[in-house]
Amino acid sequence: MRDAKGIENPAFVPSSPDTPRRLSASPSQIEVSALPSDTQKEDSQLREPQGPQKPPEPQEPHTPPSLPGTPPASQKRPRPLSLSEFEEGPCGWGNFHPECLQRCNTPRGYLLHYCLLALTQGIIVNGLVNISISTIEKRYEMKSSLTGLISSSYDISFCVLSVFISFLGERGHKPRWLAFASFMIGLGALVFSLPHFFSGAYQLGSIFEDTCLQTRNSTGCASSASSLSNYLYVFILGQLFLGTGGTPLYTLGTAFIDDSVPTHKSSLYIGIGYSMSVLGPAIGYVLGGQLLTVYIDAAMGRSAGINEDDPRWLGAWWIGFLLAWLFAWSLIIPFSCFPKYLPGTAEIQAGKISQAHQGKSSFIQKADENFGKSFKDLPAALKNLMRNTVFMCLVLSTTSEALITTGFATFLPKFIENQFGLSSSFAATLGGAVLIPGAALGQILGGVLVSKFKLACKNTMKFSLCASVVALMLSFIFVYAKCENEPFAGVSESYNGTGELGNLTAPCNANCNCLRSYYYPLCGKDGVQYFSPCFAGCTNLVSARRPKVYYNCSCIERKMEIASAPESLGFEATAGKCETRCANLPIFLGVFFATIAFTFMAGTPITVSILRCVNNKQRSLALGIQFMFLRLLGTIPGPIIFGMTIDSTCVLWDINECGVKGACWIYDNIRMAHMLVVITVTCKATTIFFNGLAIFLYKPPPSSIDVSFQHQQSVVTTVSVECDGN
């Protein structure tokens, strides 16, 4: 490879005798005013490889200054040696280039495989893992804090590796990095499923009686540790592998899309790719939900003898991970056959104009000829990007958005369940029906609009700002959609005038030996909700009916004589929550759908703005830094902050036999709505502030001087972001 390309040292690409020495910036290149003459110097350096007899070290003297965008310079300079002559190539392996594969050797062909990998990653990480956590918690006898650590392991891995992988892979073979990503995602899914095959058959416990019993077997306060919890480390290892695979997908994979398409199409392609990562969780939830209806040991030929309504039922959570493993590994071959650059990349890069932010500093840092080949250069590159104020403002704006989006993705079903009195499963379905299509629509629509109107960097940031402002105004729907709590015995209502508020035990159920750790809501005919059939004092039930019906309930006020025979149509309570009298659900879902769409509509333009405001050769590293901050300040603390805020509105906690506080059963709906508005408005205001600050600080290159990416790539020893394009 020759000096003109200046992008050697790829990952997964073996060295060759042609590996050149990189060009070094001379002192004359330091001042911005000298850059026009530098362009001539770059041109002379680009012509050198055309004469094989010339040694690579000598450089031609400076020629008189001329603007790179003027016609005389273009006429005087022959067309530079393009990347395609060495880097672009056919689709295949070695000397094997089947004609049928060349149809995929296009940006659309690459985008198709990128979407499939993003879809697979979303299915596993945000779909199958989330829906399987509760089953894993029961099967391997883990506390919620431990399963929370499993969920966070992916973000931790992504956060730690994003900067290093993006720096190492910037000048590497990006499609092969995505082949590596496919391998690691598949390996992570395989490892995550392994505990099922080594933990033995699932043993059913004794059935739990939820009605009022005069004598009940007490479990006592025992805290014996189970060896099954040791599989925690296997689950964490699987998540770490998944995080390792996700890092190159969203950094190097996105930068490769931007390499391969014109500037005005980049936002459209990136928006489509990101929308697949949003649709992945929806498919994962549907697939995982269906697989949980299959008994966990069905593959062993074992029959449960129980149905899904039994609390002891566990579904086959592991099957989805095996399917995802096979599909992820099937993408290794397609990615490995792509060339380092798609055909036409050099021409596209030569036609792009730099929009990098021009900072106050006018110095270009000199680097040695091996800059970028080792991690020793990483601190200098990081320092350079950190000094780009526009870039850092955009990164901070994305972190605040990530905080609320991940928080709502985790707790929106809980909000819907408590505000509108719905079951957990139906609330999760409604939450997914709002979040997933809204996010996908926003991602695609944002990319389409930026692409259609061919917005420049500053206008792209303005578009994102407008979308965030609309989302902020719509987020006040939480104030309007709040609903009063329904009457709840022992919490907001007394037991027919007996008992105390805040105490579930009353004279009518004092002899039932009820467990406060078993929450099974019951709606009485008196319109009051009860914690469980036991706390309602019910002694009989008809389990054949759906939902279950209970009678002979001592705590429910009898307004008519209830027959004691099970065959009788009379009953006093039905399983499930009482129907809410709040009718704001349709309005809330519609407005919140619009809020999500406008929120994600700003996502793709912000990513495009980040790619534009930094040096062309630091785009992958810029995305790596963005995702590091996004995970560190957004997706990792987001669910924690939301969880602590929602827990602060709890009015009834689960307390087990040992007196240890567990999950919250009942929340104050009004306070919850107000607290979520406070978090949302705060984060949205932070996003708008940093987005507006980025617009204010952004300084595009002078309009009289156009610097193409082709010119940027010919002097790759500089690590400056701020002076690029001057």
Side-chain angles (χ1 to χ4, degrees), residues 660-672:
V660 178
K661 183 188 294 185
C664 178
W665 298 131
I666 308 297
Y667 296 91
D668 185 335
N669 288 352
I670 302 298
R671 190 180 177 196
M672 179 191 291

Side-chain angles (χ1 to χ4, degrees), residues 153 179 230 417 468 483:
S153 299
N230 292 330
E417 174 187 352
S468 297
C483 299

